[in-house]
Amino acid sequence: MTPQAQREAVAVMRAETAISERRACALAGIYRSTLRYEPRQAAETTTLKARIIELAQERRRFGYRRIHALLRREGHEVNHKRVYRLYSAANLAVKRRKRRKGVMVPRESLVLPTRRNEVWSMDFVMDALANGRRIKILTVVDDCTKEAIDLAVDFGISGEYVTRILDQAARFRGYPKAIRTDQGPEFTGRALDQWAYEHGIQLKLIQPGKPTQNAFIESFNGRFRDECLNEHWFHTLSHARVVIQQWRTDYNEQRPHSMLGYRTPAEAAEELRS
């Protein structure tokens, strides 16, 4: 048995019987001095452990090997095995991220719709404010007319948030027959699924890792990044919303679109309405 196991055996025997410590130690095969020994941690080890904990808190996704590399860079002559023991003793092991399983869906050919509100496409684009805080932008596009139906900007957008945006857009132009999205959690959750069922809308999920199956929104997102996000430096959330909505208006009403015969999305939508 290991010394720790022997100590535990002595403790059990003395708790459950009336034998002396000397007798219990003899039966467990451990010296009384070993039983009473309390390990002392050297000052160097204490300092090293504190630095390991500090680095692990600064870089939460670093394992012990990267921590060891950082320590060596700082001048600590320490073996990686020692770093591992101290790292494990402090319960700093990085939890493995669980891979979210995608929904199995058949591949569907991407067909250009011929009517307004036949199919909408949705996706998310990420950006950041000047202070580094991340913002999330929900892009919603009509696949037929290429209209930017909405560009919702916020720090966080849940599935329920998405349904509110879609209801707001439908008040002015009606509900679509189908919406194409990737398999992000906001699009595969209960909120959007229930909303689609209540309004008789088909949700077209693309296969995981296949963004080309949602090529219309990917193409729009590319233009949006190049012409808006990469050209502006947002100071606040309100500032980002104003600039992005100005770009959306210009995109819909002024920018000629090659797939529409160099008409604007607004012009193409007007022709389909007439």
Side-chain angles (χ1 to χ4, degrees):
M1 291 190 294
T2 64
Q4 181 59 34
Q6 289 171 322
R7 291 189 186 96
E8 292 174 359
V10 170
V12 171
M13 283 189 284
R14 297 207 64 200
E16 296 184 0
T17 67
I19 64 175
S20 66
E21 180 184 280
R22 186 187 303 274
R23 179 60 177 160
C25 287
L27 292 172
I30 184 174
Y31 292 106
R32 294 174 69 192
S33 59
T34 303
L35 175 68
R36 297 175 180 178
Y37 174 76
E38 294 183 3
R40 301 175 188 173
Q41 201 169 53
E44 179 190 354
T45 301
T46 303
T47 303
L48 181 61
K49 184 175 181 180
R51 183 56 182 153
I52 290 173
I53 293 173
E54 186 178 352
L55 288 172
Q57 290 174 344
E58 290 176 0
R59 302 177 180 272
R60 295 184 180 278
R61 299 303 302 175
F62 276 21
Y64 80 93
R65 293 185 185 276
R66 288 177 184 249
I67 297 292
H68 174 250
L70 293 177
L71 291 170
R72 294 294 294 254
R73 190 181 299 170
E74 293 178 357
H76 294 278
E77 294 296 332
V78 57
N79 187 282
H80 72 278
K81 295 179 182 178
R82 187 180 180 193
V83 172
Y84 173 74
R85 287 195 297 271
L86 296 175
Y87 182 87
S88 300
N91 294 321
L92 298 174
V94 179
K95 293 182 180 179
R96 291 190 177 184
R97 290 175 174 169
K98 293 183 179 180
R99 186 174 180 181
R100 191 175 63 87
K101 295 182 179 180
V103 180
M104 294 297 295
V105 294
R107 180 173 180 175
E108 183 177 327
S109 300
L110 190 63
V111 179
L112 183 65
T114 58
R115 294 190 300 275
R116 182 173 174 269
N117 286 353
E118 187 174 344
V119 181
W120 292 359
S121 291
M122 293 194 304
D123 199 6
F124 285 108
V125 176
M126 308 300 292
D127 201 32
L129 302 179
N131 62 8
R133 186 168 183 184
R134 304 288 293 176
I135 59 174
K136 200 171 188 179
I137 307 162
L138 174 68
T139 58
V140 188
V141 173
D142 187 305
D143 288 357
C144 176
T145 65
K146 308 303 176 187
E147 294 171 280
I149 297 170
D150 205 345
L151 298 175
V153 188
D154 215 321
F155 294 123
I157 299 179
S158 64
E160 292 182 356
Y161 196 136
V162 171
T163 63
R164 292 197 297 270
I165 295 298
L166 295 175
D167 278 329
Q168 182 178 336
R171 293 192 192 101
F172 298 96
R173 57 181 297 123
Y175 288 95
K177 292 185 177 179
I179 299 178
R180 183 180 291 107
T181 71
D182 61 21
Q183 295 199 28
E186 301 87 355
F187 301 142
T188 56
R190 183 179 301 175
L192 186 61
D193 183 70
Q194 182 64 29
W195 176 88
Y197 174 78
E198 292 173 355
H199 293 89
I201 297 170
Q202 180 187 3
L203 293 179
K204 295 176 174 284
L205 298 177
I206 66 172
Q207 294 176 322
K210 303 289 184 180
T212 55
Q213 295 179 11
N214 203 4
F216 297 139
I217 195 73
E218 292 293 336
S219 176
F220 172 83
N221 288 344
R223 295 191 188 94
F224 176 46
R225 290 191 187 96
D226 292 342
E227 299 176 10
C228 182
L229 300 184
N230 294 344
E231 295 295 324
H232 295 89
W233 194 247
F234 304 129
H235 303 292
T236 63
L237 182 63
S238 298
H239 178 222
R241 285 171 171 167
V242 169
V243 172
I244 288 173
Q245 288 305 319
Q246 288 174 345
W247 182 87
R248 172 176 168 263
T249 300
D250 180 77
Y251 175 88
N252 283 339
E253 300 178 5
Q254 301 297 327
R255 187 186 186 282
H257 201 295
S258 59
M259 287 191 68
L260 300 174
Y262 292 95
R263 296 170 296 170
T264 67
E267 290 171 341
E270 186 61 33
E271 288 185 14
L272 288 173
R273 276 195 294 264
S274 61

